[in-house]
Amino acid sequence: MRYCRSTIHIGQMHKKGMKDKASSVIVERSHREDQKRFYGHHSFYSLDDFSKQLAVHNRRSNNFPMRPLGWLSPLEFSVQYV
């Protein structure tokens, strides 16, 4: 299995007892990716409209194959551990 530099860096942070900082890095990246892939490309006209668009986005995202998961979708990957 190959790891990207950021994954190795976060692993080193965990080993050095910097778990809070490592978690913060992961959350910040997640928010940045959400902004880039979802919020930056959509307009919402009501809370109901937002909920519907988010449901469609989540369905697509959870079924999209990802390299870090060995080209499995997050849904396929999570089923392995249930």
Side-chain angles (χ1 to χ4, degrees), residues 6-36:
S6 63
T7 303
I8 293 168
H9 178 69
I10 291 168
Q12 290 170 347
M13 292 171 78
H14 276 278
K15 286 180 185 176
K16 293 179 180 178
M18 299 169 51
K19 291 181 181 179
D20 292 338
K21 179 66 176 168
S23 296
S24 176
V25 169
I26 293 168
V27 169
E28 288 173 15
R29 178 170 183 185
S30 174
H31 288 175
R32 188 174 55 248
E33 292 299 314
D34 290 345
Q35 179 66 37
K36 184 171 69 175

Short mmCIF file of all heavy atoms in Angstrom, two decimals, residues 6-36:
data_model
loop_
_atom_site.label_atom_id
_atom_site.label_comp_id
_atom_site.label_asym_id
_atom_site.label_seq_id
_atom_site.Cartn_x
_atom_site.Cartn_y
_atom_site.Cartn_z
N SER A 6 1.40 13.51 3.09
CA SER A 6 0.60 14.05 4.19
C SER A 6 0.17 12.95 5.15
O SER A 6 0.13 13.17 6.35
CB SER A 6 -0.61 14.82 3.66
OG SER A 6 -1.47 13.96 2.95
N THR A 7 -0.10 11.74 4.65
CA THR A 7 -0.47 10.64 5.51
C THR A 7 0.70 10.25 6.40
O THR A 7 0.54 10.02 7.60
CB THR A 7 -0.90 9.41 4.68
OG1 THR A 7 -1.98 9.80 3.83
CG2 THR A 7 -1.35 8.28 5.57
N ILE A 8 1.89 10.20 5.83
CA ILE A 8 3.09 9.88 6.61
C ILE A 8 3.33 10.96 7.65
O ILE A 8 3.61 10.67 8.81
CB ILE A 8 4.30 9.71 5.68
CG1 ILE A 8 4.10 8.47 4.80
CG2 ILE A 8 5.60 9.59 6.49
CD1 ILE A 8 5.09 8.35 3.66
N HIS A 9 3.19 12.21 7.26
CA HIS A 9 3.39 13.33 8.17
C HIS A 9 2.41 13.24 9.34
O HIS A 9 2.81 13.42 10.49
CB HIS A 9 3.23 14.65 7.42
CG HIS A 9 3.37 15.86 8.28
ND1 HIS A 9 4.57 16.23 8.85
CD2 HIS A 9 2.46 16.77 8.69
CE1 HIS A 9 4.39 17.32 9.56
NE2 HIS A 9 3.12 17.67 9.48
N ILE A 10 1.15 12.96 9.08
CA ILE A 10 0.14 12.85 10.13
C ILE A 10 0.47 11.66 11.04
O ILE A 10 0.35 11.75 12.25
CB ILE A 10 -1.28 12.75 9.53
CG1 ILE A 10 -1.66 14.08 8.89
CG2 ILE A 10 -2.29 12.34 10.58
CD1 ILE A 10 -2.88 14.06 8.03
N GLY A 11 0.94 10.56 10.46
CA GLY A 11 1.34 9.40 11.26
C GLY A 11 2.49 9.75 12.20
O GLY A 11 2.52 9.32 13.36
N GLN A 12 3.45 10.53 11.71
CA GLN A 12 4.57 10.96 12.55
C GLN A 12 4.09 11.87 13.67
O GLN A 12 4.60 11.81 14.79
CB GLN A 12 5.63 11.66 11.70
CG GLN A 12 6.36 10.74 10.77
CD GLN A 12 7.23 11.48 9.77
OE1 GLN A 12 7.12 12.69 9.60
NE2 GLN A 12 8.09 10.74 9.09
N MET A 13 3.10 12.70 13.38
CA MET A 13 2.55 13.58 14.41
C MET A 13 1.90 12.75 15.52
O MET A 13 2.04 13.06 16.70
CB MET A 13 1.55 14.56 13.79
CG MET A 13 2.19 15.57 12.86
SD MET A 13 1.00 16.54 11.95
CE MET A 13 0.50 17.70 13.20
N HIS A 14 1.20 11.69 15.13
CA HIS A 14 0.57 10.82 16.13
C HIS A 14 1.63 10.19 17.02
O HIS A 14 1.47 10.11 18.23
CB HIS A 14 -0.26 9.73 15.45
CG HIS A 14 -1.63 10.17 15.09
ND1 HIS A 14 -2.67 10.20 15.98
CD2 HIS A 14 -2.14 10.60 13.91
CE1 HIS A 14 -3.76 10.63 15.38
NE2 HIS A 14 -3.46 10.89 14.11
N LYS A 15 2.73 9.72 16.42
CA LYS A 15 3.80 9.08 17.19
C LYS A 15 4.44 10.05 18.18
O LYS A 15 4.87 9.65 19.26
CB LYS A 15 4.89 8.53 16.25
CG LYS A 15 4.48 7.30 15.51
CD LYS A 15 5.60 6.83 14.61
CE LYS A 15 5.18 5.65 13.76
NZ LYS A 15 6.24 5.26 12.83
N LYS A 16 4.51 11.30 17.82
CA LYS A 16 5.15 12.30 18.68
C LYS A 16 4.19 12.87 19.71
O LYS A 16 4.53 13.80 20.42
CB LYS A 16 5.72 13.44 17.83
CG LYS A 16 6.88 13.00 16.96
CD LYS A 16 7.40 14.14 16.14
CE LYS A 16 8.56 13.69 15.27
NZ LYS A 16 9.05 14.76 14.42
N GLY A 17 2.97 12.32 19.79
CA GLY A 17 2.01 12.80 20.78
C GLY A 17 1.28 14.05 20.37
O GLY A 17 0.75 14.77 21.22
N MET A 18 1.24 14.35 19.10
CA MET A 18 0.57 15.55 18.60
C MET A 18 -0.75 15.19 17.94
O MET A 18 -1.07 15.65 16.86
CB MET A 18 1.49 16.28 17.62
CG MET A 18 2.79 16.73 18.24
SD MET A 18 4.03 17.30 17.05
CE MET A 18 3.17 18.48 16.08
N LYS A 19 -1.55 14.37 18.61
CA LYS A 19 -2.78 13.87 18.01
C LYS A 19 -3.77 14.99 17.72
O LYS A 19 -4.47 14.95 16.71
CB LYS A 19 -3.42 12.82 18.92
CG LYS A 19 -2.62 11.55 18.98
CD LYS A 19 -3.28 10.52 19.85
CE LYS A 19 -2.40 9.28 19.89
NZ LYS A 19 -2.94 8.25 20.72
N ASP A 20 -3.87 15.98 18.60
CA ASP A 20 -4.80 17.08 18.36
C ASP A 20 -4.44 17.85 17.10
O ASP A 20 -5.31 18.19 16.30
CB ASP A 20 -4.82 18.04 19.55
CG ASP A 20 -5.43 17.41 20.79
OD1 ASP A 20 -6.19 16.43 20.64
OD2 ASP A 20 -5.15 17.89 21.90
N LYS A 21 -3.15 18.10 16.89
CA LYS A 21 -2.70 18.81 15.69
C LYS A 21 -2.95 17.97 14.45
O LYS A 21 -3.41 18.48 13.42
CB LYS A 21 -1.20 19.14 15.82
CG LYS A 21 -0.63 19.86 14.63
CD LYS A 21 -1.21 21.24 14.44
CE LYS A 21 -0.50 21.93 13.29
NZ LYS A 21 -1.17 23.14 12.88
N ALA A 22 -2.71 16.66 14.53
CA ALA A 22 -2.95 15.78 13.39
C ALA A 22 -4.43 15.77 13.03
O ALA A 22 -4.80 15.83 11.86
CB ALA A 22 -2.47 14.37 13.70
N SER A 23 -5.29 15.72 14.03
CA SER A 23 -6.73 15.73 13.78
C SER A 23 -7.14 17.05 13.15
O SER A 23 -7.98 17.08 12.25
CB SER A 23 -7.50 15.52 15.09
OG SER A 23 -7.22 14.25 15.60
N SER A 24 -6.54 18.13 13.61
CA SER A 24 -6.84 19.45 13.07
C SER A 24 -6.47 19.53 11.59
O SER A 24 -7.22 20.08 10.78
CB SER A 24 -6.09 20.52 13.85
OG SER A 24 -6.29 21.78 13.30
N VAL A 25 -5.33 18.95 11.23
CA VAL A 25 -4.88 18.95 9.83
C VAL A 25 -5.88 18.20 8.97
O VAL A 25 -6.25 18.65 7.87
CB VAL A 25 -3.47 18.32 9.72
CG1 VAL A 25 -3.11 18.05 8.27
CG2 VAL A 25 -2.44 19.21 10.38
N ILE A 26 -6.35 17.06 9.45
CA ILE A 26 -7.32 16.26 8.70
C ILE A 26 -8.62 17.02 8.52
O ILE A 26 -9.19 17.05 7.42
CB ILE A 26 -7.56 14.91 9.40
CG1 ILE A 26 -6.29 14.07 9.35
CG2 ILE A 26 -8.72 14.17 8.77
CD1 ILE A 26 -6.31 12.86 10.26
N VAL A 27 -9.12 17.66 9.57
CA VAL A 27 -10.38 18.41 9.51
C VAL A 27 -10.24 19.59 8.56
O VAL A 27 -11.14 19.84 7.76
CB VAL A 27 -10.82 18.86 10.92
CG1 VAL A 27 -11.96 19.84 10.85
CG2 VAL A 27 -11.21 17.65 11.76
N GLU A 28 -9.13 20.31 8.63
CA GLU A 28 -8.93 21.45 7.74
C GLU A 28 -8.92 21.03 6.29
O GLU A 28 -9.51 21.69 5.44
CB GLU A 28 -7.62 22.15 8.08
CG GLU A 28 -7.67 22.92 9.38
CD GLU A 28 -6.32 23.48 9.79
OE1 GLU A 28 -5.41 23.53 8.95
OE2 GLU A 28 -6.19 23.89 10.96
N ARG A 29 -8.27 19.92 5.99
CA ARG A 29 -8.25 19.45 4.60
C ARG A 29 -9.66 19.05 4.17
O ARG A 29 -10.08 19.34 3.06
CB ARG A 29 -7.30 18.27 4.45
CG ARG A 29 -7.35 17.76 3.02
CD ARG A 29 -6.30 16.79 2.70
NE ARG A 29 -6.42 16.46 1.29
CZ ARG A 29 -5.73 15.57 0.70
NH1 ARG A 29 -4.82 14.90 1.35
NH2 ARG A 29 -5.91 15.32 -0.57
N SER A 30 -10.38 18.38 5.04
CA SER A 30 -11.75 17.97 4.73
C SER A 30 -12.62 19.18 4.41
O SER A 30 -13.37 19.18 3.43
CB SER A 30 -12.34 17.19 5.91
OG SER A 30 -13.69 16.91 5.69
N HIS A 31 -12.51 20.23 5.21
CA HIS A 31 -13.30 21.44 4.96
C HIS A 31 -12.90 22.10 3.65
O HIS A 31 -13.76 22.58 2.90
CB HIS A 31 -13.12 22.42 6.12
CG HIS A 31 -13.80 21.98 7.37
ND1 HIS A 31 -13.69 22.65 8.55
CD2 HIS A 31 -14.59 20.91 7.63
CE1 HIS A 31 -14.39 22.03 9.49
NE2 HIS A 31 -14.94 20.97 8.95
N ARG A 32 -11.60 22.13 3.36
CA ARG A 32 -11.12 22.72 2.11
C ARG A 32 -11.66 21.95 0.90
O ARG A 32 -12.10 22.53 -0.09
CB ARG A 32 -9.59 22.75 2.11
CG ARG A 32 -8.99 23.50 0.97
CD ARG A 32 -7.47 23.65 1.08
NE ARG A 32 -6.78 22.38 1.23
CZ ARG A 32 -6.14 21.99 2.33
NH1 ARG A 32 -6.08 22.76 3.39
NH2 ARG A 32 -5.54 20.81 2.39
N GLU A 33 -11.63 20.62 0.98
CA GLU A 33 -12.13 19.79 -0.12
C GLU A 33 -13.65 19.96 -0.28
O GLU A 33 -14.15 20.01 -1.40
CB GLU A 33 -11.79 18.32 0.11
CG GLU A 33 -10.31 18.03 0.01
CD GLU A 33 -9.74 18.35 -1.37
OE1 GLU A 33 -10.35 17.99 -2.38
OE2 GLU A 33 -8.67 18.98 -1.43
N ASP A 34 -14.37 20.04 0.83
CA ASP A 34 -15.82 20.28 0.75
C ASP A 34 -16.11 21.60 0.06
O ASP A 34 -17.02 21.68 -0.77
CB ASP A 34 -16.45 20.29 2.15
CG ASP A 34 -16.47 18.93 2.80
OD1 ASP A 34 -16.28 17.92 2.09
OD2 ASP A 34 -16.69 18.87 4.03
N GLN A 35 -15.36 22.62 0.42
CA GLN A 35 -15.55 23.93 -0.20
C GLN A 35 -15.29 23.86 -1.70
O GLN A 35 -16.06 24.37 -2.50
CB GLN A 35 -14.61 24.97 0.44
CG GLN A 35 -14.73 26.35 -0.16
CD GLN A 35 -16.07 26.99 0.12
OE1 GLN A 35 -16.65 26.82 1.18
NE2 GLN A 35 -16.58 27.72 -0.85
N LYS A 36 -14.22 23.18 -2.08
CA LYS A 36 -13.83 23.10 -3.49
C LYS A 36 -14.83 22.28 -4.30
O LYS A 36 -15.19 22.65 -5.41
CB LYS A 36 -12.43 22.48 -3.59
CG LYS A 36 -11.88 22.42 -4.99
CD LYS A 36 -10.42 22.02 -5.01
CE LYS A 36 -10.24 20.58 -4.60
NZ LYS A 36 -8.86 20.11 -4.73
#
